[in-house]
Amino acid sequence: MFPDGFLWGGALAANQCEGAWDADGRGPSVADVATYKPALANTEYAAHHAVTLASIAEAMATADVTYFPKRRGIDLYHRWEGDLDLFAELGFTVLRVSIAWSRLYPTGFENEPNQAGVAFYRRLFEGMRARGIQPLVTLSHYEMPLELATRLNGWANREVIALFARFARTCFTEYGDLVSLWLTFNEIDSIIRHPFTSGGVIEELCEDGLEVACYRAAHHQFVASAIATRDLHALVPGAQMGCMLTMLTTYPRTCHPDDVAATQAKNLHNHFFADVQVSGEYPPIELAAMRRKGLSVPWEAGDDALLREHTVDFVSFSYYMSMTESVDPDADRTPGNTIMGVKNPYLPSNDWGWQIDPVGLRISLIDLYDRYRKPLFVVENGLGYADSVDTDGRIRDPYRVDYFRAHIEQMALAIEAGVDLRGYTSWAPIDLISASSSQMSKRYGFIYVDQDDLGRGTLARSRKDSFTWMQHVIATNGADLAPIG
């Protein structure tokens, strides 16, 4: 079903799992001011991600981690060896992680990296290699140094490009002997949906308005991606750089032409962010859409050549669910991965309203490969659920096994259809802090972590039933997906 050498693993983000937010010289990041807001509904994404200069100042005035759960994560910073042992037991051949920018450059402005931070990631990558696990490393995963946001307004300011390029070169120089697979920006399209989390953009500092700042920030990230790709190829021959997209696969709610047209526009906009990094130019249709909104690309000399000459080597993406679209203003809407979309009556949903659509993964893989003709990598896919521990200590999660089995079956069908799929990293192999709502109770892992939404618990790790199942799937290279026991 899957080719020899197919990479099986899991995906993590430093800001959601490391903790140790003020240890060993690490500086504060945008994630450290993200607040757990239990009074808010899970569907109120904008409110969960809302930030002001006043709220940042208030957050930094306290060292308490109770309502700032990304400061504590699951303490992977101190427990990484045991966690790697569990990932190796699962049979992982790849693990996607991110490097916390502020652990290497605490404010982002330093001329030299923090050596304690450099040493931590070397230990981590060496530990992965010693266990037969290949690192897949994201350079920027929702953890920009906070000072770059408050002083420069994050990626809306072109100065950040050079600072990021210095950080990236440090990563390539320090870890190029251990890491050959890299990603630039996690879900680069998210700069439009949650600009502070994704790019440190603060609305109060946007003199031309938030939307203008977001598209300017996207352009700066495109340029930075091209520079990082150029530098990686020069510094680490044979290494590969990928882009990473939130795959927000959307169907027409009905076959009415207006619904179809609205869906087409939504999907084209979603693809736009990968289009630039793969083809090296802005799609004409997106440029026309920007002009209609009064937006323009902030070109500077040399940008077009950088984008054209330093495109990515492969395309990676997250896929959790699909949506539908309709021009009907009264259409019933449901949440997804930091978005709202029209509900599909043919699909079930998880506890958070995310619709479960395995066939959508096959559709996404075929669409992306037909569009880009570059190797693909599924780097996030999983089921968030409110797991519980039974009185006998067992965590029974057959719903997670069902989810993964159905999605892996669809990946195999995509490969059979001709898609060049290189690997799969589930989100997340171990329970961690939710990116969207800062909850711990939204659990994705094959490994249970004893911690609640307020940080109470022992942090002990326990294998869920899905752990044994996934271990067998990997051992058979996806050939046997039958439930165990």
Side-chain angles (χ1 to χ4, degrees), residues 251-254 322 324 343-349 355-358:
Y251 314 133
R253 177 63 182 82
T254 72
S322 65
T324 75
K343 187 173 179 60
N344 188 329
Y346 300 102
L347 298 177
S349 301
Q355 298 178 123
I356 299 171
D357 179 17

Short mmCIF file of all heavy atoms in Angstrom, two decimals, residues 251-254 322 324 343-349 355-358:
data_model
loop_
_atom_site.label_atom_id
_atom_site.label_comp_id
_atom_site.label_asym_id
_atom_site.label_seq_id
_atom_site.Cartn_x
_atom_site.Cartn_y
_atom_site.Cartn_z
N TYR A 251 -16.10 22.22 -0.43
CA TYR A 251 -17.01 21.77 -1.49
C TYR A 251 -18.16 22.77 -1.61
O TYR A 251 -18.53 23.44 -0.64
CB TYR A 251 -17.63 20.41 -1.15
CG TYR A 251 -16.70 19.35 -0.66
CD1 TYR A 251 -17.02 18.57 0.46
CD2 TYR A 251 -15.50 19.06 -1.32
CE1 TYR A 251 -16.19 17.56 0.90
CE2 TYR A 251 -14.66 18.05 -0.88
CZ TYR A 251 -15.01 17.31 0.24
OH TYR A 251 -14.17 16.31 0.68
N PRO A 252 -18.80 22.83 -2.79
CA PRO A 252 -20.04 23.62 -2.89
C PRO A 252 -21.13 22.97 -2.04
O PRO A 252 -21.28 21.75 -2.03
CB PRO A 252 -20.39 23.54 -4.38
CG PRO A 252 -19.15 23.07 -5.08
CD PRO A 252 -18.41 22.23 -4.09
N ARG A 253 -21.87 23.80 -1.34
CA ARG A 253 -22.97 23.25 -0.51
C ARG A 253 -24.07 22.67 -1.40
O ARG A 253 -24.70 21.67 -1.04
CB ARG A 253 -23.53 24.37 0.39
CG ARG A 253 -24.72 23.96 1.24
CD ARG A 253 -24.35 22.87 2.22
NE ARG A 253 -25.50 22.43 3.00
CZ ARG A 253 -26.41 21.57 2.58
NH1 ARG A 253 -26.31 21.04 1.37
NH2 ARG A 253 -27.43 21.22 3.35
N THR A 254 -24.27 23.31 -2.54
CA THR A 254 -25.23 22.79 -3.52
C THR A 254 -24.59 22.91 -4.91
O THR A 254 -23.50 23.49 -5.05
CB THR A 254 -26.55 23.60 -3.52
OG1 THR A 254 -26.30 24.89 -4.11
CG2 THR A 254 -27.09 23.77 -2.11
N SER A 322 -12.96 19.02 6.19
CA SER A 322 -13.38 19.79 5.03
C SER A 322 -14.57 20.66 5.43
O SER A 322 -15.14 20.51 6.50
CB SER A 322 -13.75 18.87 3.87
OG SER A 322 -14.90 18.10 4.19
N THR A 324 -18.01 23.14 3.50
CA THR A 324 -18.71 23.50 2.28
C THR A 324 -18.88 25.01 2.27
O THR A 324 -18.64 25.69 3.27
CB THR A 324 -20.08 22.81 2.15
OG1 THR A 324 -21.02 23.44 3.03
CG2 THR A 324 -20.00 21.32 2.45
N LYS A 343 -21.83 23.88 7.16
CA LYS A 343 -21.88 22.49 7.61
C LYS A 343 -22.25 21.55 6.46
O LYS A 343 -23.11 21.86 5.64
CB LYS A 343 -22.88 22.35 8.75
CG LYS A 343 -22.89 20.99 9.43
CD LYS A 343 -23.79 21.00 10.63
CE LYS A 343 -23.84 19.65 11.32
NZ LYS A 343 -22.51 19.22 11.79
N ASN A 344 -21.58 20.41 6.43
CA ASN A 344 -21.87 19.36 5.45
C ASN A 344 -22.76 18.32 6.12
O ASN A 344 -22.34 17.66 7.07
CB ASN A 344 -20.56 18.71 4.97
CG ASN A 344 -20.75 17.76 3.81
OD1 ASN A 344 -21.79 17.13 3.69
ND2 ASN A 344 -19.73 17.64 2.98
N PRO A 345 -23.99 18.14 5.67
CA PRO A 345 -24.91 17.21 6.35
C PRO A 345 -24.51 15.75 6.23
O PRO A 345 -25.08 14.90 6.93
CB PRO A 345 -26.24 17.48 5.65
CG PRO A 345 -25.86 17.97 4.28
CD PRO A 345 -24.61 18.77 4.49
N TYR A 346 -23.55 15.44 5.38
CA TYR A 346 -23.14 14.05 5.17
C TYR A 346 -21.98 13.63 6.07
O TYR A 346 -21.55 12.47 6.00
CB TYR A 346 -22.76 13.84 3.71
CG TYR A 346 -23.89 14.12 2.75
CD1 TYR A 346 -23.94 15.30 2.04
CD2 TYR A 346 -24.92 13.20 2.58
CE1 TYR A 346 -24.99 15.57 1.16
CE2 TYR A 346 -25.97 13.45 1.71
CZ TYR A 346 -26.00 14.65 1.01
OH TYR A 346 -27.04 14.90 0.16
N LEU A 347 -21.49 14.53 6.90
CA LEU A 347 -20.28 14.24 7.68
C LEU A 347 -20.55 14.31 9.18
O LEU A 347 -21.26 15.20 9.65
CB LEU A 347 -19.17 15.23 7.32
CG LEU A 347 -18.67 15.23 5.88
CD1 LEU A 347 -17.61 16.32 5.69
CD2 LEU A 347 -18.10 13.87 5.50
N PRO A 348 -19.92 13.41 9.95
CA PRO A 348 -19.94 13.53 11.42
C PRO A 348 -18.91 14.58 11.87
O PRO A 348 -18.08 15.04 11.08
CB PRO A 348 -19.54 12.14 11.88
CG PRO A 348 -18.63 11.64 10.80
CD PRO A 348 -19.19 12.20 9.50
N SER A 349 -18.96 14.95 13.13
CA SER A 349 -18.05 15.95 13.68
C SER A 349 -17.48 15.47 15.00
O SER A 349 -18.06 14.61 15.67
CB SER A 349 -18.77 17.29 13.91
OG SER A 349 -19.32 17.79 12.71
N GLN A 355 -15.60 18.72 11.21
CA GLN A 355 -16.19 17.64 10.42
C GLN A 355 -15.13 16.63 9.99
O GLN A 355 -14.02 17.01 9.62
CB GLN A 355 -16.91 18.22 9.21
CG GLN A 355 -18.04 19.15 9.61
CD GLN A 355 -18.74 19.77 8.42
OE1 GLN A 355 -19.95 19.63 8.26
NE2 GLN A 355 -17.99 20.44 7.58
N ILE A 356 -15.48 15.37 10.08
CA ILE A 356 -14.54 14.28 9.79
C ILE A 356 -14.78 13.78 8.37
O ILE A 356 -15.83 13.24 8.06
CB ILE A 356 -14.70 13.15 10.82
CG1 ILE A 356 -14.39 13.68 12.23
CG2 ILE A 356 -13.80 11.98 10.48
CD1 ILE A 356 -14.72 12.72 13.35
N ASP A 357 -13.78 13.96 7.52
CA ASP A 357 -13.94 13.67 6.10
C ASP A 357 -12.67 13.01 5.54
O ASP A 357 -11.83 13.68 4.94
CB ASP A 357 -14.24 14.97 5.34
CG ASP A 357 -14.40 14.76 3.85
OD1 ASP A 357 -14.58 13.61 3.42
OD2 ASP A 357 -14.32 15.77 3.11
N PRO A 358 -12.51 11.71 5.71
CA PRO A 358 -11.31 11.04 5.19
C PRO A 358 -11.16 11.17 3.68
O PRO A 358 -10.04 11.36 3.18
CB PRO A 358 -11.52 9.58 5.61
CG PRO A 358 -12.48 9.63 6.75
CD PRO A 358 -13.38 10.79 6.47
#
